[in-house]
Amino acid sequence: MLDAAVVHRREMKLTLWISMFIIGLCTLVAIFSPWIMPHDPTEFVTDEPFGSPQVGIWLGSDYLGRDLFSRLIDGTRTTLVMALAATALAHLLGDTLGLLAALRGGWVDAVISRVADLILSLPKIIVGLVVVAALGPSIVVIVILAAIVYAAGVFRIARALGSDLVNMDFIKVAKSRGEGTGWILFAEILPHVAQPLAADFAIRMSFAILFMSSLSFLGLGVQPPLADWGGLVRENLGGLAAGSLVPIFPAIAIAVTSVALNLFVDSLDEHQRKQKGTR
Amino acid sequence: MSNSVLSIEDLVVEPVSGGRPVVDGISISVERGEVLALIGASGSGKTTLALTALGHLRPGLRIRRGSVTLDGTEMLRAAPQTLRSLRGRTIAYIAQSAAAAFNPRLRLDAQVTEVSRVHNTRPYKEALQAAHRLYGRLDLPNPEVVGGRFPHQVSGGQLQRFMIAMGLQESPLLLVCDEPTSALDVTTQVEVLRALKQGIADNNTAALFVSHDLAVVSQIATKIAVLRAGRVIEFGTAREILDSPREAYTRELVAASKHMTIGSAGAGHIIAPSPSHAATPLLTVEKVVAGFGKVTDGAPAVTTLSDISLKLHKGEVVGVIGESGSGKSTLARVIAGLHPAAQGKIYMDGKNLADTVERRTVSERQRIQLVFQMADTALNQKHSVGRILGRVLKFFHGTSGRAREARVAELLKMVQLPPEYANRLPSQLSGGEKQRVNLARALAAEPEILICDEITSALDTIVAESIIQLVEDLSKKLRLGIIFISHDLATVSTLAQEVTVLRHGRIVESGPTQIVLSSPKDPYTQLLVSSVPQARPGWLEEAIATRNRLRHALETDVLTPVSVSEGSRSTLAVSS
C-alpha cells in the first residue's frame, strides 16, 4: 500500500520532468533553429524524393528531396511562434472580457456571453475554411482566427473564475471607494485567478497547435515553401504509400508536444497540491 | 475512574510538519450526566481535543503520546470498523453549522434515523417513533410530521435542534458539541440551548461542550476546562470558574463576558444624549425603502428595508440592532451607496447624496467609509497590508513615496499594530489583527462617518472586546460619527448613545440606548434584551420564562421565523 503510494508520487514527479524537458527542448529548438539546422530547409539534398536516412540527412529527405530534419526544426519555430501568438492573443481578449463580464454582469455579460456561445457552437475547422477562403492563408489571418476561436473558451473560464470573486467584500470596498474598472479587474481580481489562467494557457496552446496543424494539413495554413508541422505531414503524405516514414516525424512532433503541454499542467497541479498538503 | 465515560490522558497532538503541539499534555475525564465545557479562543486546541474523543484527527496532525479511552475502547488505536460501530451509537457529534451538516436532498426523518439504520439497532418504524418522541422533547413543532420536511424548509434554530435529535437518536454515552450555538442569533440560541440541556438531562448523557462563550457555557456545563495554547490552564466546576477564577486569562474571560452584559459596564459610557442635536445632523436617513428585484412604484419585488429613518451627529455612535434577516447589512450598503434605495433620501450635512457610489463625488465617498464584518473577505488576500492602506491614501489624498510609508505606519499605530505589519499579507495575521487592518483602511480615507457592519461578530470574546475598545477610542479621538451595526445588544450598549432596533426590515424601537435597553417598550426588544446570555447560572431559565410570557405579544412567528411565506410551510412554523 505504502510502496504503491511512493511509486505513484515518484511517477508524478517523473512526468513533470519529462514534460518540462520536452517543452524546454521545443523552445530551445524554436529559438536557435537557424543555427542548428544542418541544411537550408529549401535546399535540395538528394536527387530523388523520399530518400532514406543517411549520415547528415538524419531523417531522410522529403517529397522534393529536401532535408526533413532541417524542415522539421524550421517548422518547430513556425508552429510554436504561431501557437504562442494565438494563445497570448486569445488570453488577452478572453481574460479581459471574461473578468469584465463577471464584474459588470447585466447586459455587458449577456452580450459577450452570447457572442462566446455563438463562437463555441461553430465547428472550428469549417469556420477556418470559410475565413481562409475569404481572406487568404496568411500567417496573420490564421493567428487572429485561432485567437478569436479560442478566446471564447478562455472567456468562459475567466468569467467563471471571476464570478466567484466579484461578490467578495474587497471588491465592494474598491467599488465604494470609486476605483475604476481597470484597477478592479487587474489589481484586485487578476492576482487571484492568475494561476488557473496560466494553467489554461498551456493547455490552450496545445489546442492551438492541433488546430493550426489541422488547418495546414488541409492546405489552409501557412503556404509553401514555409511549412509548420501540419504542413510537413501534408506535403509528405504521399510518401506513406512509397514506404517512407517521413510524414510520421512531424506527426510525432505534434502529438508529443501536445501531450507534453497537457502533462505539464496536470503534474504541476498535482505537485503544488502535494506541497500544500504536507505543509 | 471506572465511572468515567471518556478519559483522556496526557494527550499530545502535534502538526506532522513539526512545531508547537496543538494539544499539549492534556488529561481530562467525563462521567455520566456530566457536561464538561472546553472553553478557549480560536487556536487553543479545544476542537482538536474534542474530536479525538471521536477517534478523529484532522489531516496534518499526529498523536505524539497519550490515550483517549471511550467506554473502555482506546479510540486512537481503534480499527476503522470499531470506530464506525461506536460513532453515532456510543458517541455522537453535534457540529456548529447545521446547514452544512445536513444533506439538502434528503428529508430530515431519513437523516435523523440514519444512525439507527446504519447500526441496525431497530426496525425503521420504531426508529421513526423514537425520533418523533425526540422532536417533541426538543420542542419542535408538530413532531409527527415535521420530519417529512427538507432541511431548507425549517428555520436555522429548528435545524440545529434536528441535529441535536440526530445526536441523541441512539442515546449515546457521550455527546460532543462543537460550538453548537455560535452561528445562531441570540433569540434562537436560547431555544437551542434549552433543547440541548433538556436532551442531555433526559438521557443522562455525558457531554463535551466546546465553546468560546463563557456566558453560554455557564448555562449548561457542570465543569469547565479553560484551554490556552493547547494546555488546560484552569479546571473546576462552573461555579468555581465564574465566581473565583484563579488564572489571569480566566479572569479576563470572565470579565469580558460580564462586560458583555447589558447595563453593567454600559452605564459608565452612556453620556447625555448627543450634545449637538440642534445643529444639522452629519447624516440623515429619511424614510428609506430598499430591497431586491424590480422596483415598481417605489416598491421593490422583495422588500428588506421599509421606512427607515435615522440621524447621526458628529462624535456620536448610533447603534443598529437586528438579527439575521433584519435588513441591517442592507442599510449599511444603502448608506455607502452600494445598494440603491427604492425610496427615501440620504443627506450628509443637509446635502442630498446620490444613491449610487458612481454618482457621488470623490469627497462624498471619502467622508463615508464602510467597515465590513468579515476581514477575511474584505481584505484582498493577494495584497500586503501596506498596499491595502497605501492604495486608499494614494486614491483619496494622492500621498506617495516616503510620505505614504510614514502615513501607513501611523495608521497601523492608530489601530495598535506594529509598523512591520505593512509587509505582511492578510493570511499572516490573526483574526483580530485583520479586523484592525480593516479598520485602518477605513481610517486611511480620513472619513467623518464610519459604518461598522458586525465588525466583532466573527471574533473571539476577548479579541472582540479589544476591537470595541479601539472603536470607542477612535470615535472620541477623531470625533467620528459612527453607525455601529450588530446583532449583539451587549456590544452596542457599551458603545452607542442612540440605538435603533430593526426587525424584518422595520424599526420597532429607537431612542437613547440606556432608555431603550433598560426599559424596552416593544416586546421584540424585550425578547432581545432577555436573550443576551449572561454568565450566571439560572439565566437560561429566566430567559425561557420571559420568552413564554412574550410569546403571545410577538404573534409567535418571531420565535420560529419563516423565511418564505408559503402557505403550508408557514402554518407549520407558526403552530409551534
Side-chain angles (χ1 to χ4, degrees):
Chain A
M1 273 287 277
L2 198 68
D3 287 349
V6 170
V7 169
H8 183 66
R9 182 178 296 183
R10 202 174 295 152
E11 259 170 22
M12 284 319 298
K13 232 177 163 178
L14 194 63
T15 53
L16 184 61
W17 283 118
I18 292 175
S19 56
M20 276 167 64
F21 174 76
I22 294 171
I23 295 166
L25 186 71
C26 287
T27 314
L28 288 178
V29 167
I31 293 172
F32 297 109
S33 60
W35 295 279
I36 52 180
M37 284 187 292
H39 300 276
D40 187 288
T42 52
E43 180 196 354
F44 299 98
V45 290
T46 56
D47 295 336
E48 50 187 311
F50 301 121
S52 327
Q54 47 184 287
V55 177
I57 309 171
W58 304 105
L59 299 178
S61 61
D62 77 349
Y63 74 113
L64 293 176
R66 296 171 297 192
D67 178 31
L68 185 80
F69 186 58
S70 303
R71 286 188 67 75
L72 201 58
I73 289 173
D74 194 43
T76 304
R77 176 179 258 196
T78 315
T79 307
L80 290 193
V81 167
M82 284 175 68
L84 191 68
T87 315
L89 215 59
H91 262 272
L92 191 69
L93 211 65
D95 292 347
T96 310
L97 292 177
L99 297 181
L100 185 74
L103 181 67
R104 282 292 171 81
W107 68 267
V108 175
D109 182 24
V111 169
I112 310 178
S113 290
R114 292 302 81 77
V115 171
D117 288 348
L118 182 72
I119 294 174
L120 285 168
S121 67
L122 297 171
K124 294 182 180 62
I125 297 291
I126 306 290
V127 172
L129 201 126
V130 172
V131 169
V132 172
L135 301 174
S138 80
I139 289 184
V140 175
V141 167
I142 293 164
V143 165
I144 291 177
L145 169 72
I148 291 174
V149 163
Y150 284 109
V154 175
F155 163 81
R156 280 238 179 128
I157 288 183
R159 182 180 170 277
L161 290 168
S163 303
D164 290 342
L165 286 161
V166 291
N167 288 320
M168 298 278 268
D169 288 341
F170 65 86
I171 304 292
K172 286 183 202 143
V173 170
K175 277 187 191 164
S176 73
R177 192 158 65 218
E179 292 282 5
T181 307
W183 170 272
I184 293 178
L185 288 188
F186 298 114
E188 302 278 358
I189 299 181
L190 192 60
H192 291 264
V193 298
Q195 208 180 337
L197 287 179
D200 179 79
F201 191 98
I203 293 180
R204 201 67 63 180
M205 190 163 153
S206 78
F207 293 164
I209 290 175
L210 289 174
F211 174 62
M212 293 198 285
S213 298
S214 308
L215 282 184
S216 294
F217 182 74
L218 295 173
L220 302 166
V222 288
Q223 296 300 303
L226 194 63
D228 62 354
W229 290 342
L232 288 176
V233 177
R234 175 189 167 82
E235 285 175 355
N236 299 306
L237 203 55
L240 276 182
S244 166
L245 288 179
V246 163
I248 300 294
F249 296 112
I252 290 175
I254 295 170
V256 166
T257 312
S258 314
V259 171
L261 281 166
N262 280 281
L263 276 184
F264 174 68
V265 172
D266 270 4
S267 45
L268 192 66
D269 180 54
E270 185 105 349
H271 181 69
Q272 281 167 339
R273 254 185 299 154
K274 261 194 193 117
Q275 278 193 328
K276 236 180 228 168
T278 52
R279 207 186 305 144
Chain B
M1 255 323 274
S2 56
N3 265 346
S4 59
V5 173
L6 173 79
S7 99
I8 294 179
E9 268 164 61
D10 192 27
L11 183 68
V12 178
V13 180
E14 60 183 8
V16 175
S17 52
R20 194 176 63 80
V22 180
V23 172
D24 195 0
I26 290 182
S27 303
I28 51 165
S29 69
V30 194
E31 285 165 26
R32 265 217 105 116
E34 195 175 65
V35 179
L36 172 65
L38 304 175
I39 189 161
S42 46
S44 60
K46 56 188 194 299
T47 300
T48 307
L49 179 65
L51 290 179
T52 58
L54 291 149
H56 176 81
L57 211 54
R58 217 171 51 226
L61 293 179
R62 67 168 170 226
I63 308 282
R64 192 155 82 202
R65 60 162 194 267
S67 71
V68 175
T69 320
L70 175 75
D71 193 31
T73 310
E74 169 57 58
M75 297 300 276
L76 298 179
R77 277 172 274 282
Q81 300 93 294
T82 319
L83 288 180
R84 256 202 312 276
S85 72
L86 290 173
R87 286 177 185 163
R89 198 169 164 189
T90 313
I91 182 166
Y93 176 68
I94 293 176
Q96 174 169 359
S97 165
F102 277 94
N103 183 334
R105 285 303 186 96
L106 292 178
R107 291 178 194 278
L108 291 160
D109 270 342
Q111 302 193 56
V112 172
T113 56
E114 188 188 12
V115 55
S116 307
R117 188 174 55 74
V118 168
H119 293 298
N120 214 358
T121 51
R122 45 188 157 182
Y124 180 70
K125 269 235 168 85
E126 278 176 42
L128 202 59
Q129 281 166 2
H132 291 168
R133 278 198 299 278
L134 263 177
Y135 299 163
R137 294 221 304 273
L138 296 173
D139 233 4
L140 283 161
N142 300 355
E144 300 300 319
V145 294
V146 68
R149 316 216 147 241
F150 289 98
H152 66 272
Q153 293 175 317
V154 299
S155 73
Q158 288 171 345
L159 197 58
Q160 201 76 17
R161 277 181 279 166
F162 274 105
M163 192 155 61
I164 296 173
M166 206 198 254
L168 292 172
Q169 170 76 359
E170 283 299 311
S171 311
L173 283 175
L174 181 71
L175 203 57
V176 176
C177 314
D178 187 5
E179 305 253 14
T181 63
S182 304
L184 302 172
D185 285 326
V186 279
T187 57
T188 321
Q189 173 169 284
V190 171
E191 285 171 36
V192 173
L193 269 182
R194 178 191 37 184
L196 194 55
K197 197 172 181 180
Q198 185 78 39
I200 290 172
D202 286 353
N203 279 323
N204 196 27
T205 305
L208 267 185
F209 192 96
V210 176
S211 178
H212 69 275
D213 189 340
L214 194 58
V216 165
V217 157
S218 63
Q219 301 313 312
I220 199 162
T222 47
K223 288 187 178 154
I224 297 178
V226 182
L227 267 71
R228 194 178 190 191
R231 292 168 183 275
V232 173
I233 58 164
E234 190 160 359
F235 180 80
T237 64
R239 271 234 180 262
E240 281 167 4
I241 299 279
L242 288 171
D243 296 345
S244 48
R246 279 174 288 117
E247 293 289 323
Y249 180 75
T250 318
R251 278 203 293 273
E252 209 180 324
L253 262 180
V254 173
S257 76
K258 292 254 163 74
H259 184 80
M260 289 294 168
T261 309
I262 301 169
S264 58
H269 297 289
I270 295 166
I271 355 166
S274 309
S276 49
H277 264 182
T280 319
L282 192 53
L283 185 81
T284 312
V285 176
E286 206 178 84
K287 295 204 166 87
V288 159
V289 177
F292 296 90
K294 199 167 173 254
V295 179
T296 37
D297 296 333
V302 181
T303 310
T304 49
L305 279 182
S306 43
D307 205 17
I308 303 293
S309 298
L310 192 72
K311 278 191 172 66
L312 175 72
H313 292 89
K314 206 172 167 63
E316 184 185 46
V317 180
V318 170
V320 175
I321 298 173
E323 298 193 274
S324 48
S326 64
K328 57 193 192 303
S329 286
T330 310
L331 178 61
R333 297 176 51 202
V334 167
I335 298 173
L338 290 171
H339 187 122
Q343 261 182 61
K345 291 208 154 57
I346 298 168
Y347 300 95
M348 185 161 60
D349 278 342
K351 205 172 139 274
N352 194 358
L353 278 181
D355 60 358
T356 58
V357 160
E358 291 84 22
R359 289 193 281 129
R360 291 185 185 176
T361 66
V362 177
S363 99
E364 282 168 350
R365 291 195 300 253
Q366 171 250 319
R367 290 172 64 193
I368 301 179
Q369 289 292 313
L370 181 56
V371 186
F372 285 87
Q373 170 179 6
M374 305 292 287
D376 274 325
T377 59
L379 302 176
N380 192 333
Q381 301 291 319
K382 301 275 179 180
H383 292 184
S384 69
V385 170
R387 187 169 181 209
I388 289 168
L389 300 179
R391 177 63 192 178
V392 180
L393 295 172
K394 174 106 180 108
F395 190 87
F396 284 126
H397 308 293
T399 325
S400 58
R402 278 278 162 76
R404 182 160 66 188
E405 276 169 43
R407 181 77 182 124
V408 166
E410 207 176 302
L411 283 164
L412 286 174
K413 196 177 156 215
M414 217 190 263
V415 294
Q416 293 151 17
L417 290 175
E420 310 86 82
Y421 273 40
N423 298 322
R424 294 212 188 174
L425 287 173
S427 56
Q428 295 167 309
L429 305 178
S430 73
E433 288 167 344
K434 273 181 232 173
Q435 200 55 276
R436 282 167 196 270
V437 172
N438 205 8
L439 256 176
R441 175 179 48 198
L443 295 174
E446 293 171 28
E448 289 167 42
I449 299 167
L450 206 58
I451 306 164
C452 301
D453 185 8
E454 294 266 23
I455 59 169
T456 58
S457 52
L459 303 172
D460 292 323
T461 326
I462 292 177
V463 180
E465 212 200 330
S466 68
I467 296 281
I468 291 163
Q469 192 63 49
L470 179 64
V471 171
E472 196 176 352
D473 292 348
L474 290 170
S475 79
K476 284 189 183 134
K477 209 183 320 175
L478 306 171
R479 295 220 2 104
L480 300 171
I482 297 180
I483 294 183
F484 195 88
I485 296 172
S486 178
H487 71 279
D488 185 352
L489 263 77
T491 309
V492 172
S493 74
T494 61
L495 269 176
Q497 287 96 24
E498 297 275 326
V499 66
T500 294
V501 182
L502 286 187
R503 180 188 161 203
H504 301 339
R506 289 177 185 278
I507 294 179
V508 296
E509 195 162 356
S510 69
T513 310
Q514 203 168 18
I515 296 171
V516 170
L517 296 185
S518 62
S519 52
K521 286 187 198 64
D522 187 88
Y524 178 70
T525 320
Q526 290 173 21
L527 178 72
L528 269 182
V529 170
S530 74
S531 299
V532 176
Q534 294 176 16
R536 59 181 171 83
W539 160 77
L540 184 61
E541 287 68 26
E542 283 171 34
I544 301 286
T546 314
R547 160 176 308 252
N548 289 337
R549 186 165 51 75
L550 291 171
R551 186 170 277 205
H552 189 65
L554 283 165
E555 306 145 349
T556 59
D557 68 325
V558 194
L559 300 177
T560 46
V562 198
S563 48
V564 184
S565 55
E566 189 188 295
S568 63
R569 207 175 291 169
S570 53
T571 46
L572 172 80
V574 168
S575 59
S576 71

